[in-house]
Amino acid sequence: MTNRLLSENNFLMQIILHPGRPNVSKCFMLSDGYIVELNGFEFQFVFKVRSHFGGGKSTRLGLIYDYVENAKKYEPKYIFLIRHFSTSNSSWSGSVVPSKDDYFAAIHHISHIVRRDFYMERTLNKLRISYLNSELVFRVLRACSKSGTESFRFFNWACTHNPSYKPTTLEFEELVKTLAQTKKYTTMWKVLLQMKTQNLRISPETISFIIQEYGKQGLVDNAVTIFNQCSKSIDCPQTVEVYNALLFALCEVKMFHGAYALIRRMIRKGVTPDKKTYGTLVTGWCSAGKMREAQEFLEEMSQKGFNPPLRGRDLLVEGLLNAGYLESAKDMVRKMTKEGFVPDIGTFNSLINVLCNSGEVDFCINIFHEVCKLGLCPDINTYKILIPATSKVGRIDEAFRLLHCCMEDGHIPFPSLYGPILKGMCKMGQFDDAFCFFSDMKHKGHPPNRPVYTMLITMCGRGGRFVDAANYLMEMAEFGLPPISRCFDIVTDGLKNCGKHDLAKKIEQLEVSIRGI
């Protein structure tokens, strides 16, 4: 069938034989020998994949454009980014320049092929990717961080597909982390050896990641081996980060004597312990129920002149939180406040974050007021934890008090602070108060962002306030914040159900003008 308006031909295509395979990819459908009478057309696209029951046969629809300009006008731009991948936008003119969304859609499509396609290399070859650079390979590897073997295959394909592509340390380290995380240790060591042959140095951060992964699996001997090889074969300095990683691995298997011996060696080598060093060992002792050993360790380190960045009680509180002993941590904080001691702001934020996630919002609010009376100066992270938590449980008045305290302390009420308050008010049915508060924040010079508008439109749709949702949708478009498709669907469907067909038509025209469809 021919559509002259769009300068395209529609065709129905059947694959008769692909034995042993339940289905085939789109690129396989476009390969030579599977398209009938389609020669002479430059751009071909397939969609609506339908595989027959039992496999071995597939039916798909397809479009073939007569001219390149028509294909670029009507097809998604990320398809062309995949076929002719390049960081240069010189081949795109005017309004058809691919956006950042198209770029990441292309990355997502390639990553999906790497993770899912059994015949990955053949499919990637048929995509006809004409340009490979470090950014593309790195983003695909990072998106496939849960697929070790597939990431390694893609990396080898990228190195052989384009001889001009030279992998950098960034891609090598991302691949090493993926292989370590997926327990592909033999392949990981091969990649490390390849880095050494290319005179690329591995960073202490990557070495620390590998040691921690060994520790999570209980392979302490392997962790110690790679730690000892840092200064020999790997040529990586044994920094505080590397020491902390091995300390974590030892504490994971409850080898506290070895961990303490490692800290003594750390001091002999002239490496100063940091907060994470103390916190890792204290957390390990607390998780094993050895509070006395943790306190004695902190006292001994203080006597030797290595005072931790946090006070001993704060470290013990964080250790109890990391070990999951919430009640013990709460009791220790209560004891500190009764004795007139103020916890460190980082420790306090960690405490209220864990407790708010567990649903103990009332305790967090009470302890917040107590420590503020003792002289604690809350930071912006404190309010970012408490305001959403209080709004979620319906304590809107308390959330407003916290927001005003935040503004009095000199912090700017950005959208992620007052957005949860708006959502809480809408959940309680206080739409008029929410709209007034929303307008007040805009007049005070705190403009909302796209997520706040999307949340407000969604809540208006759930509450049956479709006219207000339409107004915010148009206001959002006027501010240059393109609404997502779900917002248009909520508003148009709601207006049509309410009988507001004229307003629904305007919203549909707005969607057409924004998306160009």
Side-chain angles (χ1 to χ4, degrees):
M1 183 177 65
T2 303
N3 187 345
R4 289 297 94 195
L5 183 62
L6 299 178
S7 299
E8 66 184 19
N9 291 328
N10 301 336
F11 66 90
L12 179 66
M13 177 173 52
Q14 288 189 340
I15 302 297
I16 304 300
L17 295 175
H18 44 83
R21 300 181 62 182
N23 50 30
V24 290
S25 64
K26 294 181 181 179
C27 297
F28 187 78
M29 300 286 287
L30 291 174
S31 61
D32 295 334
Y34 289 92
I35 298 181
V36 183
E37 297 180 358
L38 299 182
N39 296 328
F41 296 97
E42 186 165 4
F43 280 94
Q44 305 159 1
F45 303 89
V46 293
F47 58 95
K48 285 194 180 291
V49 179
R50 296 292 183 270
S51 298
H52 288 220
F53 179 77
K57 185 177 180 180
S58 300
T59 304
R60 306 185 185 194
L61 296 177
L63 295 177
I64 308 129
Y65 290 90
D66 296 336
Y67 306 103
V68 177
E69 291 75 12
N70 296 97
K72 288 183 178 181
K73 183 177 181 181
Y74 297 112
E75 287 295 326
K77 289 184 282 296
Y78 79 90
I79 297 294
F80 300 95
L81 280 172
I82 293 173
R83 292 192 175 183
H84 304 282
F85 210 100
S86 176
T87 55
S88 174
N89 294 333
S90 58
S91 62
W92 301 89
S93 59
S95 61
V96 293
V97 175
S99 63
K100 186 180 293 186
D101 293 338
D102 298 320
Y103 175 81
F104 286 107
I107 297 292
H108 174 74
H109 186 75
I110 298 174
S111 304
H112 183 76
I113 291 174
V114 174
R115 291 192 302 265
R116 304 295 182 186
D117 201 323
F118 185 78
Y119 300 95
M120 176 207 313
E121 292 82 2
R122 183 171 62 183
T123 305
L124 291 172
N125 288 331
K126 290 172 183 176
L127 283 179
R128 301 191 298 273
I129 301 177
S130 60
Y131 184 76
L132 278 176
N133 58 0
S134 298
E135 182 184 5
L136 168 64
V137 177
F138 171 74
R139 290 188 182 278
V140 173
L141 289 174
R142 187 170 60 178
C144 303
S145 59
K146 303 296 182 181
S147 306
T149 304
E150 291 77 8
S151 298
F152 182 66
R153 288 172 57 190
F154 169 74
F155 182 77
N156 288 336
W157 173 86
C159 295
T160 57
H161 175 72
N162 193 345
S164 61
Y165 166 68
K166 300 297 181 184
T168 62
T169 307
L170 194 65
E171 297 97 85
F172 270 113
E173 291 187 345
E174 186 65 29
L175 179 60
V176 167
K177 291 179 181 178
T178 301
L179 294 171
Q181 193 173 3
T182 54
K183 307 176 189 177
K184 308 296 181 182
Y185 302 119
T186 304
T187 310
M188 179 194 72
W189 280 104
K190 293 180 181 178
V191 175
L192 290 174
L193 182 61
Q194 187 178 355
M195 288 185 66
K196 186 177 180 180
T197 56
Q198 297 186 13
N199 296 324
L200 296 175
R201 297 187 61 181
I202 188 169
S203 64
E205 178 188 359
T206 306
I207 292 294
S208 303
F209 186 88
I210 297 172
I211 293 175
Q212 288 182 359
E213 290 300 321
Y214 275 133
K216 291 177 182 178
Q217 303 302 324
L219 304 173
V220 184
D221 294 337
N222 301 76
V224 174
T225 300
I226 193 172
F227 175 81
N228 294 329
Q229 290 181 357
C230 284
S231 57
K232 299 177 183 178
S233 58
I234 300 180
D235 192 20
C236 176
Q238 294 179 344
T239 60
V240 182
E241 188 177 9
V242 178
Y243 273 100
N244 292 340
L246 183 57
L247 190 66
F248 169 81
L250 293 171
C251 292
E252 281 290 299
V253 295
K254 312 300 181 184
M255 293 181 61
F256 299 114
H257 293 292
Y260 190 51
L262 180 67
I263 291 182
R264 291 199 299 267
R265 173 183 172 176
M266 189 176 179
I267 296 173
R268 288 197 308 269
K269 295 290 184 178
V271 181
T272 305
D274 59 359
K275 175 186 174 181
K276 189 175 181 180
T277 308
Y278 293 98
T280 302
L281 190 54
V282 170
T283 300
W285 263 319
C286 292
S287 62
K290 300 181 178 181
M291 291 287 295
R292 180 181 300 176
E293 287 81 352
Q295 293 176 348
E296 292 176 354
F297 163 71
L298 293 174
E299 292 176 359
E300 181 181 352
M301 296 303 291
S302 298
Q303 293 174 0
K304 291 183 178 180
F306 292 94
N307 293 320
L310 293 177
R311 292 170 303 179
R313 292 190 179 186
D314 294 322
L315 280 172
L316 291 174
V317 171
E318 290 196 2
L320 292 171
L321 290 174
N322 295 331
Y325 296 105
L326 301 185
E327 293 299 328
S328 300
K330 287 167 58 178
D331 294 339
M332 183 165 289
V333 172
R334 287 197 195 98
K335 185 177 179 180
M336 290 175 63
T337 54
K338 287 181 180 179
E339 295 177 359
F341 293 103
V342 180
D344 179 76
I345 185 62
T347 304
F348 180 74
N349 290 342
S350 301
L351 174 68
I352 61 175
N353 186 31
V354 174
L355 293 178
C356 286
N357 291 334
S358 62
E360 301 187 35
V361 181
D362 295 334
F363 174 82
C364 294
I365 295 174
N366 295 332
I367 200 68
F368 171 76
H369 294 302
E370 290 182 11
V371 296
C372 286
K373 292 179 181 178
L374 294 175
L376 178 70
C377 296
D379 59 2
I380 190 63
N381 294 321
T382 309
Y383 294 109
K384 286 171 66 177
I385 296 170
L386 287 176
I387 292 177
T390 52
S391 303
K392 188 175 181 179
V393 296
R395 298 189 61 173
I396 304 299
D397 295 336
E398 186 63 36
F400 271 111
R401 287 194 206 97
L402 293 170
L403 183 64
H404 290 310
C405 291
C406 176
M407 298 172 66
E408 290 176 358
D409 292 343
H411 302 296
I412 299 176
F414 43 86
S416 61
L417 279 180
Y418 65 81
I421 301 178
L422 287 171
K423 187 174 182 179
M425 297 173 73
C426 292
K427 280 186 175 181
M428 298 179 66
Q430 303 174 0
F431 286 97
D432 294 332
D433 295 335
F435 298 155
C436 292
F437 173 61
F438 184 65
S439 301
D440 186 48
M441 297 307 294
K442 288 190 294 184
H443 291 318
K444 289 183 178 180
H446 310 299
N449 55 10
R450 187 181 181 187
V452 172
Y453 269 114
T454 303
M455 179 272 299
L456 193 57
I457 293 170
T458 303
M459 298 306 295
C460 288
R462 292 177 181 175
R465 308 289 290 259
F466 297 108
V467 177
D468 296 316
N471 293 331
Y472 286 122
L473 188 67
M474 290 186 286
E475 179 182 314
M476 182 180 181
E478 291 176 358
F479 287 158
L481 302 173
I484 61 177
S485 301
R486 179 166 56 87
C487 292
F488 283 109
D489 296 339
I490 292 173
V491 175
T492 53
D493 294 343
L495 291 174
K496 289 177 182 178
N497 292 333
C498 295
K500 307 284 186 180
H501 296 283
D502 295 337
L503 186 54
K505 187 175 181 180
K506 290 182 179 179
I507 298 298
E508 290 176 346
Q509 292 174 352
L510 177 63
E511 183 179 9
V512 170
S513 63
I514 290 176
R515 303 191 180 279
I517 57 177

